[in-house]
Amino acid sequence: MKDHQDGAHGGHQFLGKNTELYFAVLCGVFLLVAFLIEMFSQLSFALALTGYSIAYFFGAYFIVIEASKKIIKGGFDIDFLMIAAAAGAAYIGSWAEGALLLFLFSLGHALEHYAMNKAKKSIEALGNLSPKTALVKKGDQLEDVAIEALQLKDIIVVKPNTKIAADGVIVSGSSTVNQAPITGESMPVDKTYLQDTKDLPSFIDIDKKHVVFAGTINGDHSIEVLVLKLTKDSTVSRLVKMVSEVETQKSPTQRLTKKFEKWYVPLVILLVVLLCFAYLVVDETFSESLYRAITVLVAASPCALAISTPSAVLSGVARAAQDGVLIKGGRALEDLGEITTIAFDKTGTLTEGKPKLTNILPLGNFDEVELARLVLEVENLSNHPLAKAIASDLKTKYKIDSQNKATNVNAIQGKGITATYENHKVSIGNATLMESSEITISEKTRLEMNALLKNGHTAMLVAYKQEIVGLVSVMDLPRKTAVDTLKRLKAIGIKRMIMLTGDHQNVGDAIAKQIGLTEAKGNLLPEDKVDAIKTLIKRDKKIAMVGDGVNDAPAMALSTVSIAMGAAGSDVALETADVALMSDKIENLPFVISLSRESKRIIKQNIAISLGVVGLLVPVTILGLTNIGVAVAFHEGSTIVVVLNALRLLRYKSI
């Protein structure tokens, strides 16, 4: 198929990238017009013949190009057989049958190639992650340099809210970095500078709070980064390499088709040639032998076989699209039905993808509303993503707004925030912040905080007048539909559902327990996810991977079927994926798997019908027990049956 695709798009794009499809449609139009003229008008047959000839041109154009390329290399495939069958039909005056063969075959090919160049697009989307230039510090000057020209040990300046241009270690400044494009972590991560950079360990061994990756997004503060990896070795470049390597691997279906063509086509050609000389051993004329040979050629042309899979695929894809699911091709549609293990990314796939306020617990003299107001006044003045999430949710939940009573706000990197509220100090942050401010944390409070942390929450203590007065926690919450979706997946035979996440193992375990996953694997970088997928494939043979971010791309590309969350997904995840849930509804997953199973069943039926008819017609026509009219009637009848059977998928009901 790939070779034919290349031929269709290699310098013959008269009408744009869908030229092959337009040619197939034009073939059908001229075939219909010519047939109507021949059957229902008194016009000259020459006019109908002109219509058939034009139909032949449009139907055979790309098939002839491809067949000629193969013949030059000494190969004969189904393309050649279809051209020979159409030419033979024309030779004995069966123009309509020949044009119909070409129309159905060219339409099948065109539809198969409609969505193409997936690998190329996915690599381009990955490449766009990194900025094109970086600000390099040279003495007191800043110089704009192309990222390809960056050298090891260069120091680059990353301004607030811009993409980081290289993998490296922070040597000046502190900031919050959104690492979701690379690690998939739901929460932005606090980063700070490394004081001693003289004897650095290997990149992977440097404390993660000092390390940044190319393609991640800096927060509100400027930082300086010592470049430790050249652009070609950066994390993003590795992702590009992983995707390109996996995408170039041929599917088993492609290899099987090639094997079939290798023996079937030469066998039919040999049989037809031998039948041309049947008059030497049978009491008939050369004309009768030629007629028999051409009848066999038409009967043996695998037209129904050629259209059986594309028609079912097209119907399945169209039905999925009605429910907001994009399926890219037949392999994904077939393979998805055999899946019993699904790996999920966490952030944006099983969860909402953004932090939400989960708890506000008064521990001192404050009641809940008073504590909420205190926290709001302080967090409302911070630009930290968690502070913004807390402030927004407090306003919504408690119907309150800031009265600007807090002053002297000071963000302390990696610890939290301090401020003055009604002439007294307020501290909101982790235990380290409290201890550094000599605020006592009771054992009960520690237990409550640890319980929240263990269950996947990001928890913060609130202190006022040097006393702990409350606990606040946020979490990236599971999607409301996640529990029901996983139950339905289990009901249709999905045995194992595994979460792969860049978040802490505690977070993964907590989410897994809440929504009913089989297991969770945390603290995973992109290459770790790839290793996890390889392990799952060894155990379960075929697996699906559901993801939404760039960090999922290599693992998705390696999986048997990759499924991207649409609205929440990155461009690269969508381009790499075989299936995209366009409306961002994970609840569509059970439906599309069931549809895939039904599609596969219909494809098997279609192949059985088409091969059965060919298997019946070939011996009957060889023995001369039927004429070309009956052969074409059965031949095209099987094609119609196959197409109608495939169209049943359009009425498939969602489970």
Side-chain angles (χ1 to χ4, degrees):
M1 282 294 182
K2 186 181 183 297
D3 295 330
H4 189 82
Q5 173 182 319
D6 292 342
H9 299 273
H12 303 281
Q13 299 182 353
F14 311 116
L15 304 173
K17 61 183 178 180
N18 296 324
T19 300
E20 189 181 10
L21 183 60
Y22 298 144
F23 271 37
V25 171
L26 286 170
C27 171
V29 169
F30 281 100
L31 163 63
L32 180 62
V33 170
F35 180 75
L36 292 174
I37 290 171
E38 182 184 1
M39 298 299 293
F40 303 106
S41 80
Q42 305 299 317
L43 297 171
S44 166
F45 178 70
L47 194 59
L49 186 60
T50 303
Y52 287 134
S53 300
I54 296 171
Y56 260 63
F57 169 78
F58 284 119
Y61 184 82
F62 287 112
I63 306 173
V64 167
I65 290 171
E66 208 49 49
S68 60
K69 284 181 180 178
K70 298 284 177 56
I71 292 167
I72 291 168
K73 294 176 182 176
F76 296 90
D77 63 3
I78 289 176
D79 291 327
F80 173 78
L81 202 60
M82 295 305 293
I83 291 297
Y91 182 78
I92 59 174
S94 300
W95 284 92
E97 289 85 350
L100 188 58
L101 289 175
L102 290 175
F103 166 62
L104 291 168
F105 189 70
S106 61
L107 182 65
H109 266 287
L111 294 174
E112 280 284 287
H113 306 145
Y114 189 73
M116 54 182 288
N117 291 332
K118 184 176 70 173
K120 183 182 173 187
K121 286 181 182 176
S122 67
I123 292 167
E124 284 173 358
L126 273 171
N128 291 335
L129 261 185
S130 296
K132 302 302 177 200
T133 60
L135 280 175
V136 179
K137 192 174 183 182
K138 296 190 175 178
D140 295 331
Q141 301 294 315
L142 291 180
E143 190 176 320
D144 215 13
V145 171
I147 60 166
E148 293 79 10
L150 285 176
Q151 300 293 317
L152 294 177
K153 305 296 183 182
D154 275 352
I155 291 179
I156 59 173
V157 175
V158 186
K159 292 185 175 178
N161 304 308
T162 61
K163 284 183 179 179
I164 295 168
D167 287 11
V169 61
I170 301 174
V171 293
S172 176
S174 298
S175 191
T176 303
V177 175
N178 178 0
Q179 296 193 144
I182 298 297
T183 67
E185 290 167 282
S186 54
M187 303 292 183
V189 181
D190 289 327
K191 300 282 184 177
T192 189
Y193 66 94
L194 183 64
Q195 287 184 326
D196 183 12
T197 57
K198 288 179 183 177
D199 299 308
L200 284 173
S202 64
F203 184 77
I204 199 166
D205 293 327
I206 301 172
D207 191 324
K208 293 292 182 286
K209 68 182 179 184
H210 305 306
V211 170
V212 292
F213 301 106
T216 55
I217 304 158
N218 185 26
D220 290 335
H221 300 95
S222 184
I223 55 174
E224 293 181 7
V225 175
L226 179 69
V227 177
L228 295 182
K229 287 190 181 182
L230 297 174
T231 299
K232 64 184 177 69
D233 300 320
S234 71
T235 305
V236 170
S237 297
R238 289 208 315 277
L239 299 192
V240 173
K241 187 168 180 287
M242 286 178 195
V243 174
S244 61
E245 281 176 354
V246 174
E247 291 283 12
T248 52
Q249 296 171 6
K250 280 193 173 182
S251 72
T253 310
Q254 284 175 298
R255 290 195 290 269
L256 195 63
T257 305
K258 292 298 176 189
K259 283 179 184 176
F260 174 74
E261 287 180 17
K262 275 181 183 176
W263 69 261
Y264 181 77
V265 176
L267 195 65
V268 171
I269 294 168
L270 179 63
L271 178 63
V272 169
V273 170
L274 288 173
L275 286 171
C276 288
F277 299 98
Y279 72 95
L280 296 174
V281 292
V282 179
D283 185 19
E284 65 183 17
T285 64
F286 172 71
S287 295
E288 288 170 331
S289 291
L290 182 62
Y291 183 88
R292 185 207 305 264
I294 291 170
T295 304
V296 170
L297 184 60
V298 171
S301 300
C303 192
L305 184 63
I307 201 73
S308 61
T309 302
S311 59
V313 167
L314 182 66
S315 298
V317 168
R319 176 64 190 92
Q322 291 171 10
D323 275 28
V325 180
L326 173 64
I327 303 176
K328 300 180 183 177
R331 186 184 65 80
L333 190 67
E334 289 183 53
D335 284 345
L336 196 55
E338 297 178 13
I339 297 297
T340 56
T341 300
I342 303 178
F344 294 89
D345 173 47
K346 179 183 81 72
T347 307
T349 301
L350 293 170
T351 65
E352 298 288 350
K354 51 192 175 187
K356 299 288 287 182
L357 180 71
T358 50
N359 287 288
I360 181 153
L361 306 172
L363 299 174
N365 297 324
F366 280 60
D367 64 24
E368 191 173 324
V369 177
E370 287 174 328
L371 179 61
R373 188 174 296 283
L374 168 67
V375 173
L376 172 62
E377 293 293 345
V378 175
E379 299 287 22
N380 198 55
L381 297 179
S382 172
N383 287 320
H384 194 286
L386 290 186
K388 288 178 179 177
I390 291 168
S392 174
D393 288 351
L394 285 173
K395 289 175 184 177
T396 305
K397 184 176 180 181
Y398 294 97
K399 306 289 189 292
I400 55 176
D401 211 338
S402 171
Q403 297 174 356
N404 299 316
K405 289 185 176 180
T407 55
N408 303 324
V409 171
N410 180 31
I412 302 168
Q413 196 71 25
K415 295 180 181 179
I417 190 171
T418 62
T420 302
Y421 177 72
E422 294 184 344
N423 298 319
H424 295 284
K425 185 180 177 182
V426 178
S427 300
I428 303 174
N430 56 25
T432 309
L433 176 65
M434 301 302 152
E435 287 160 2
S436 65
S437 301
E438 297 182 352
I439 297 169
T440 305
I441 307 170
S442 70
E443 191 60 33
K444 183 184 176 185
T445 300
R446 283 188 190 276
L447 288 172
E448 288 194 40
M449 188 174 188
N450 289 336
L452 287 170
L453 293 171
K454 191 175 180 182
N455 286 318
H457 298 258
T458 299
M460 289 154 281
L461 294 161
V462 183
Y464 182 60
K465 296 182 180 178
Q466 291 296 103
E467 286 185 12
I468 302 293
V469 294
L471 255 175
V472 178
S473 70
V474 295
M475 190 179 185
D476 183 13
L477 295 172
R479 288 173 179 264
K480 291 182 175 66
T481 54
V483 174
D484 183 56
T485 299
L486 296 183
K487 281 181 183 174
R488 287 165 61 207
L489 287 172
K490 193 174 181 182
I492 63 171
I494 303 300
K495 295 174 183 175
R496 283 179 277 271
M497 292 172 281
I498 298 135
M499 181 199 293
L500 307 177
T501 178
D503 273 354
H504 193 277
Q505 187 67 46
N506 282 353
V507 177
D509 289 340
I511 297 288
K513 189 177 177 183
Q514 282 182 52
I515 63 178
L517 285 165
T518 313
E519 69 180 286
K521 295 179 183 291
N523 303 312
L524 301 181
L525 286 169
E527 51 263 49
D528 300 325
K529 289 189 180 183
V530 170
D531 290 339
I533 292 294
K534 285 178 181 174
T535 303
L536 291 172
I537 288 173
K538 276 184 185 175
R539 186 185 71 184
D540 301 331
K541 307 304 179 200
K542 290 191 173 185
I543 73 145
M545 168 77 186
V546 188
D548 77 314
V550 175
N551 61 293
D552 306 318
M556 287 171 73
L558 185 64
S559 61
T560 315
V561 182
S562 51
I563 304 165
M565 298 296 293
S570 67
D571 290 341
V572 66
L574 285 171
E575 293 297 348
T576 306
D578 302 304
V579 179
L581 307 182
M582 300 305 290
S583 57
D584 201 24
K585 290 184 178 178
I586 197 171
E587 57 267 34
N588 277 337
L589 201 51
F591 156 69
V592 77
I593 290 173
S594 299
L595 175 65
S596 166
R597 289 175 181 172
E598 182 66 11
S599 301
K600 192 168 178 66
R601 192 170 70 86
I602 283 178
I603 286 168
K604 285 179 179 177
Q605 290 173 357
N606 283 355
I607 290 171
I609 292 166
S610 53
L611 288 178
V613 169
V614 169
L616 174 68
L617 280 180
V618 169
V620 168
T621 51
I622 287 173
L623 296 171
L625 300 176
T626 187
N627 59 31
I628 194 167
V630 174
V632 168
F634 268 91
H635 194 269
E636 303 313 329
S638 68
T639 303
I640 291 167
V641 168
V642 159
V643 171
L644 290 175
N645 192 37
L647 290 176
R648 290 194 300 123
L649 283 169
L650 292 173
R651 296 167 58 191
Y652 183 76
K653 298 294 182 188
S654 176
I655 62 166

